[in-house]
Amino acid sequence: MSGSTHPAPLRIALVDDYDVVLSGLAHMFDQCRDRVVVCEIDANAPLDDVVDIVLYDSFAQPESDQQELGALVRNPRASRVVVYTWNFQPALLSSARQQGIHGYLSKTLPARDLVAALESVHAGEIVISTPPPRSGSAMGLDWPGRREGFTDRESEILALITQGKNNADVASLTYLSPNTVKSYIRSIYRKIRVTSRTQAVLWGVAHGFTPDHHRIDHWLGGP
C-alpha cells in the first residue's frame, strides 16, 4: 500500500537591507516549516541559493526605483519574486508588475495567509493583495526602533534619513506628500528628543538604522 506524499516545502530567500526586519519576517514562518523553509536571508548581499521564491521586503528600500526588483526577476536562481510591502500606490504597483514580479503582498497579512499566498504564487498564480487600510503590521514583524515606540512608517522614514536621503527623496521613495514626511519627522524628533537632522542621523546610526551587509544562510537549520 502506497503512503501519502506531501509536497516539499517552498524554498524562499528573504531580501532587505536590515537584519532586524528580515529576522522578524523569518520568524513568522517558524510554525510553518513543513510548508516554507527560509534558505537564506540577504542584507545587501547577492542571492546565492536556488530558491522557489524571493520575498523582497520593501522596508526602507527604493520602491520607486525598480532596478533591484528587475535584477531579482532576471536572476536564474529565483523562480519567482514577490514584493512584501505596506505601500499600495497604484503607480508603484504598476511599475513592479511591469518588472515582472509574481506577487505583491501586504504586510498586514497574518502568517497563515502569507504562506497560502506564497503557495499560490509557486503554483503559477499572480497574487496581488487587496490594498489594505493603513493599519498595523502583521504580528511578529519587527523593525528598527519598534521597542523605542516607533511605528513602522516612522522607522522607515528615520532609516531613509539615516541613509542620507533628504525630505524630497523620502517623499519620492515612500510615495508620501512632503508635508506628511515633515509631520513624521517632527514626531520622530519628539520621540528621540532631538532638534536637528544631524542629531537624528547620529541617533539612527547608534540605534541600528544603517543598512546591514551580509547573508544569513540556512535559517534555523534550513537547507
Side-chain angles (χ1 to χ4, degrees), residues 5 47 70 79 86 113 172 192 220:
T5 60
L47 182 65
S79 295
W86 294 299
D113 293 342
S172 174
I192 61 178
L220 296 183

Side-chain angles (χ1 to χ4, degrees), residues 37-51:
V37 173
V38 177
C39 298
E40 64 182 70
I41 299 174
D42 298 329
N44 273 314
L47 182 65
D48 188 56
D49 286 331
V50 176
V51 296

Side-chain angles (χ1 to χ4, degrees), residues 7-28:
L10 297 182
R11 295 166 54 91
I12 69 172
L14 309 179
V15 173
D16 184 81
D17 287 351
Y18 290 83
D19 281 354
V20 64
V21 172
L22 294 175
S23 294
L25 177 54
H27 277 301
M28 285 185 66

Side-chain angles (χ1 to χ4, degrees), residues 182-193:
K182 290 177 183 177
S183 178
Y184 276 119
I185 290 173
R186 287 193 294 269
S187 176
I188 290 166
Y189 283 12
R190 286 195 301 269
K191 288 185 177 182
I192 61 178
R193 297 183 176 88

